[in-house]
């Protein structure tokens, strides 16, 4: 078991080293291109409604902010809310299928909210011009609205004439899920050529900016088929700017996403920036559109605002040819494992109907796949356990460490034992563990998914903690649930089946591992703890069977 301890820590060190080297040498930041000649300014956040001007610094509720301007209602099976027609801003969206908490009375998740609220979050689209004399639609434009409600069957059209011979027409449509299509057109009756630039932006003041998380939360995009993940803190000193053909950009949270999908046929200039105390912006400026006299120029933009449902993102990727749209979900370093694991769990869930049982069945199937490798490892451990008396004799006989090592290796050779055989299952288990950990943290399909008993959310820690059971003020680190305690017990039993380290210091350290893991895992997603517990139980059964077979021999 001395070698198993070494292999355990070696695996962790090598994994961390691999992540650092890959991140340092293969994911360096791009050098920002030159500043675009046409730039999107920071959007207006002040409420221009006269009733609110007397309280310029007041924070409004969503209802008050929406009522301050004319809005058109939005109603789909997945979304409700409205968009602002004065200035055209999509700024009020609620997710119909998701609740904020587990309470039956919990309101829907609020995704987008207007300016002047506690955490404004909205999208704007329009035109820019190099010629400052051209009047363009802005945040105060009063559009002529055609349509009373935006639904999948009924788009809404906005029209506005600038008094200089240009007529702007914007058509907003929405599918059954979370994808908006904003089609913009310009009729030119000026008598001369007019060149305009389409733009789009998402502005946000997030509730939380800092903090550590295994899931990237911040600004995100794919530029020329390369994923860019930008933390809010990264923009404290300078903006991030890119030039790309196609791709997408926006904001990502653990479960929610807002993203503008770029036209793959033209080159766009993208910028991630911070303006004001806590307002962040993702924006783009598209290729110039030159409109001849009497002609119509047009551009089309798609805007995603909703939950990061993996199967839906994959569907949009194929339907609209959006490059790497699934990477809006932070699959992590083990993408090649994490995403297949999700689809396996989802397949099992569709058969069983309960995600907790799906996780347990997944653990059993994974053990079945790894059975030959684990079997060989456990057989080797059983032989090592029988060899413990001889190893102790060698330790008592030789004081010279070099000689002791030589005699020990000779003993292994005679007994046909490979001391490193326990490494392989550990190396395999580490990426499997991290991949499943990622799945349980990123998949919205597991959010608020119940199991049995007191487990109502497999993506959250076990709620039946020591403080709940004892009604005593238990320190946060020690305040763990029932499932982590069961997991710690299974680790302890499994440890007793393995050969003990001959070194006393290592033996004491190894004896503490179940306790350490119990408190560490106590704050992880309960689904992961349940998986680990069953995996331990299956390992115990397998080890007991192999030990008994070797004893019979």
């Amino acid at each position: 078991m001395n070698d198993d301890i070494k292999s355990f820590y070696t695996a962790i060190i090598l994994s961390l080293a691999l992540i650092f080297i890959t991140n340092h040498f293969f994911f360096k930041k791009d050098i920002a291109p030159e500043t675009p000649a046409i730039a999107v300014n920071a959007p207006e956040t002040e409420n221009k409604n006269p009733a609110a001007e007397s309280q310029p610094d007041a924070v409004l509720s969503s209802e008050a902010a929406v009522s301050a301007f004319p809005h058109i209602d939005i109603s789909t099976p997945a979304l409700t809310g409205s968009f602002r027609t004065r200035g055209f801003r999509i700024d009020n969206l609620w997710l119909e299928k998701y609740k904020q908490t587990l309470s039956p009375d919990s309101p829907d998740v609020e995704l987008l909210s207007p300016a002047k609220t506690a955490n404004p979050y909205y999208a704007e689209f329009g035109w820019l011009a190099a010629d400052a004399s051209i009047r363009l639609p802005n945040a105060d434009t009063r559009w002529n609205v055609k349509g009373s409600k935006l639904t999948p069957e009924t788009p809404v059209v906005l029209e506005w004439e600038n008094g200089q011979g240009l007529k702007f027409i914007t058509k907003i449509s929405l599918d059954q899920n979370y994808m908006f299509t904003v089609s913009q057109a310009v009729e030119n009756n000026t008598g001369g050529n007019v060149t305009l630039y389409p733009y789009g932006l998402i502005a946000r003041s997030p509730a939380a900016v800092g903090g550590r998380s295994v899931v990237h939360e911040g600004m995100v995009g794919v530029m020329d088929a390369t994923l860019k993940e930008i933390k809010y803190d990264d923009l404290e000193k300078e903006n991030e700017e890119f030039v790309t053909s196609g791709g997408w950009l926006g904001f990502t949270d653990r479960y929610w996403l807002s993203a503008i999908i770029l036209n793959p046929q033209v080159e766009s200039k993208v910028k991630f920036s911070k303006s004001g105390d806590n307002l962040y912006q993702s924006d783009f400026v598209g290729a110039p559109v030159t409109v001849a006299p009497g002609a119509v120029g047009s551009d089309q933009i798609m805007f995603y605002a909703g939950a990061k449902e993996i199967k839906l993102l994959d569907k949009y990727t194929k339907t609209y040819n959006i490059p790497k749209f699934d990477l809006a979900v932070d699959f992590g370093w083990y993408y090649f494992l994490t995403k297949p694991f999700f689809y396996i769990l989802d397949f099992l869930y569709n058969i069983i109907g309960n995600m907790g049982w799906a996780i347990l069945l997944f653990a059993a199937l994974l053990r079945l796949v790894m059975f030959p490798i684990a079997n060989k490892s456990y057989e080797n451990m059983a032989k090592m356990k029988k060899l413990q008396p001889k190893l102790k004799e060698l330790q008592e006989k030789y004081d010279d460490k070099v000689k002791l090592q030589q005699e020990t290796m000779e003993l292994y050779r005679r007994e046909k034992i490979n001391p490193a055989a326990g490494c392989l299952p550990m190396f395999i288990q580490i990426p499997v563990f991290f991949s499943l950990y990622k799945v349980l943290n990123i998949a919205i399909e597991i959010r608020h998914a119940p199991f049995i008993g007191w487990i109502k959310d497999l993506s959250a820690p076990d709620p039946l903690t020591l403080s709940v059971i004892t009604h005593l003020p238990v320190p946060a680190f020690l305040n763990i649930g029932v499932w982590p305690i069961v997991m710690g017990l299974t680790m302890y039993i499994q440890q007793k089946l393995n050969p003990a380290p001959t070194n006393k210091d290592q033996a004491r350290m190894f004896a503490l591992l179940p306790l350490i893991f119990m408190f560490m895992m106590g704050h992880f997603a309960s689904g992961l703890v349940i998986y680990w517990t069953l995996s331990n139980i299956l390992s115990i059964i397998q080890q007991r069977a192999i030990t008994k077979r070797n004893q019979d021999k």
Side-chain angles (χ1 to χ4, degrees):
M1 184 45 64
N2 187 0
D3 294 288
D4 286 329
I5 295 174
K6 291 180 180 179
S7 64
F8 175 77
Y9 287 107
T10 301
I12 292 177
I13 292 170
L14 289 176
S15 299
L16 292 174
L18 178 62
I19 291 172
F20 173 78
I21 292 170
T22 307
N23 185 59
H24 184 74
F25 290 102
F26 296 100
F27 291 91
K28 293 181 179 179
K29 289 185 178 180
D30 290 352
I31 299 174
E34 293 182 7
T35 304
I38 302 295
V40 179
N41 294 322
E44 296 180 70
T45 57
E46 292 298 321
N47 192 331
K48 291 194 174 183
N49 185 275
E53 287 181 355
S54 60
Q55 295 178 320
D57 297 324
V59 176
L60 305 178
S61 65
S62 292
E63 294 80 5
V66 169
S67 63
F69 290 97
H71 278 69
I72 291 291
D73 287 341
I74 296 172
S75 180
T76 78
L79 292 172
T80 57
S82 60
F83 71 88
R84 175 177 138 179
T85 57
R86 181 176 166 183
F88 178 42
R89 178 180 288 176
I90 302 175
D91 64 354
N92 179 36
L93 283 184
W94 300 75
L95 305 183
E96 276 286 283
K97 297 187 292 184
Y98 301 98
K99 301 295 182 181
Q100 294 181 17
T101 68
L102 288 170
S103 171
D105 302 327
S106 173
D108 294 340
V109 169
E110 183 181 21
L111 183 64
L112 302 186
S113 57
K116 298 294 287 183
T117 56
N119 299 295
Y121 190 5
Y122 49 82
E124 290 183 0
F125 305 95
W127 297 95
L128 299 171
D131 185 351
S133 66
I134 299 177
R135 292 182 60 205
L136 299 171
N138 57 34
D140 200 36
T141 298
R142 287 171 166 79
W143 293 84
N144 180 29
V145 182
K146 294 184 177 180
S148 58
K149 180 182 285 190
L150 178 59
T151 72
E153 295 77 27
T154 57
V156 174
V157 177
L158 308 178
E159 295 182 350
W160 179 74
E161 295 187 31
N162 72 346
Q164 298 173 327
L166 293 179
K167 182 178 181 180
F168 295 86
I169 304 168
T170 301
K171 178 182 178 182
I172 306 103
S173 54
L174 178 60
D175 67 6
Q176 296 283 338
N177 296 297
Y178 310 114
M179 189 67 81
F180 291 80
T181 301
V182 180
S183 302
Q184 301 184 113
V186 180
E187 295 180 4
N188 182 8
N189 298 306
T190 63
N193 289 339
V194 173
T195 299
L196 301 175
Y197 299 78
Y199 84 91
L201 67 86
I202 305 172
R204 182 181 189 187
S205 180
V209 174
R212 294 183 178 182
S213 173
V214 295
V215 180
H216 172 67
E217 294 183 283
M219 306 167 101
V220 67
V222 167
M223 309 294 137
D224 285 331
T226 302
L227 177 68
K228 305 293 181 182
E229 293 180 328
I230 301 169
K231 298 178 182 178
Y232 295 115
D233 293 342
D234 295 341
L235 301 176
E236 291 296 330
K237 294 182 179 179
E238 59 181 357
N239 299 334
E240 295 275 0
E241 300 181 9
F242 307 93
V243 176
T244 178
S245 297
W248 52 273
L249 65 145
F251 289 86
T252 180
D253 294 315
R254 182 179 180 184
Y255 295 120
W256 327 116
L257 172 70
S258 64
I260 297 171
I261 290 83
L262 301 173
N263 186 343
Q265 305 300 323
V266 299
E267 192 175 79
S268 300
K269 296 176 181 178
V270 173
K271 182 172 68 175
F272 299 96
S273 60
K274 180 184 179 183
S275 60
D277 293 335
N278 195 36
L279 186 70
Y280 297 84
Q281 182 172 305
S282 300
D283 63 60
F284 85 96
V285 177
V289 176
T290 300
V291 190
V296 177
S298 62
D299 184 73
Q300 182 171 288
I301 303 167
M302 288 189 295
F303 172 58
Y304 182 97
K308 295 196 290 189
E309 299 172 7
I310 295 173
K311 291 190 289 185
L312 180 61
L313 294 176
D314 282 341
K315 178 183 176 182
Y316 281 137
T317 299
K318 295 177 182 178
T319 303
Y320 299 115
N321 195 29
I322 305 172
K324 299 183 179 180
F325 201 37
D326 64 325
L327 293 187
V329 179
D330 185 5
F331 289 107
W333 298 102
Y334 299 109
Y335 172 92
F336 62 95
L337 287 177
T338 307
K339 192 171 182 181
F341 281 2
F342 162 76
Y343 271 100
I344 293 171
L345 280 174
D346 185 69
F347 174 77
L348 296 175
Y349 169 74
N350 289 329
I351 295 175
I352 300 172
N354 182 283
M355 188 57 76
W357 291 113
I359 291 172
L360 292 180
L361 182 55
F362 175 80
L365 292 174
L366 200 59
R367 275 287 160 187
L368 187 63
V369 171
M370 295 176 61
F371 181 83
I373 299 172
N375 216 43
K376 205 164 188 178
S377 174
Y378 293 148
E379 284 183 352
N380 194 75
M381 286 182 183
K383 293 177 182 177
M384 287 280 290
K385 196 169 185 179
K386 291 171 64 177
L387 210 63
Q388 291 298 300
K390 294 183 180 180
L391 289 172
K392 288 183 178 179
E393 288 179 11
L394 290 177
Q395 285 181 330
E396 293 171 358
K397 185 176 180 180
Y398 298 102
D399 293 328
D400 185 356
K401 290 185 177 180
V402 176
K403 184 64 176 177
L404 175 60
Q405 186 70 19
Q406 291 174 347
E407 292 297 325
T408 302
M409 295 307 296
E410 179 61 25
L411 178 62
Y412 288 151
R413 189 188 63 79
R414 288 198 308 270
E415 298 292 337
K416 298 180 180 179
I417 294 175
N418 180 8
C423 294
L424 187 57
M426 183 62 70
F427 273 111
I428 294 174
Q429 195 170 356
I430 285 176
V432 168
F433 172 81
F434 281 117
S435 298
L436 188 61
Y437 177 50
K438 268 288 189 180
V439 170
L440 295 176
N441 273 281
I442 63 174
I444 194 169
E445 291 78 0
I446 299 173
R447 177 183 183 265
H448 291 179
F451 184 38
I452 55 175
W454 62 91
I455 301 297
K456 305 299 183 183
D457 184 1
L458 287 163
S459 67
D462 188 338
L464 191 59
T465 59
L466 295 174
S467 62
V468 173
I469 296 171
T470 63
H471 301 287
L472 296 174
V474 180
F477 178 73
L478 302 177
N479 194 28
I480 61 173
V482 173
W483 272 103
I485 294 172
V486 175
M487 187 211 71
L489 290 173
T490 59
M491 283 191 70
Y492 175 77
I493 295 170
Q494 187 180 12
Q495 185 187 91
K496 289 300 180 182
L497 295 175
N498 297 330
T502 54
N503 184 284
K504 291 183 179 180
D505 292 332
Q506 289 180 343
R508 293 191 193 97
M509 181 182 65
F510 194 75
L512 289 173
L513 284 180
L515 196 64
I516 294 170
F517 271 82
M518 182 176 72
F519 285 107
M520 183 179 70
M521 296 285 288
H523 303 279
F524 283 21
S526 56
L528 187 67
V529 178
I530 292 169
Y531 158 80
W532 194 276
T533 303
L534 180 66
S535 183
N536 285 347
I537 293 172
L538 294 175
S539 296
I540 291 168
I541 295 171
Q542 190 175 359
Q543 283 182 265
R544 289 286 297 170
I546 292 171
T547 302
K548 188 177 185 305
R549 187 175 63 190
N550 284 339
Q551 287 175 347
D552 293 341
K553 286 181 181 180

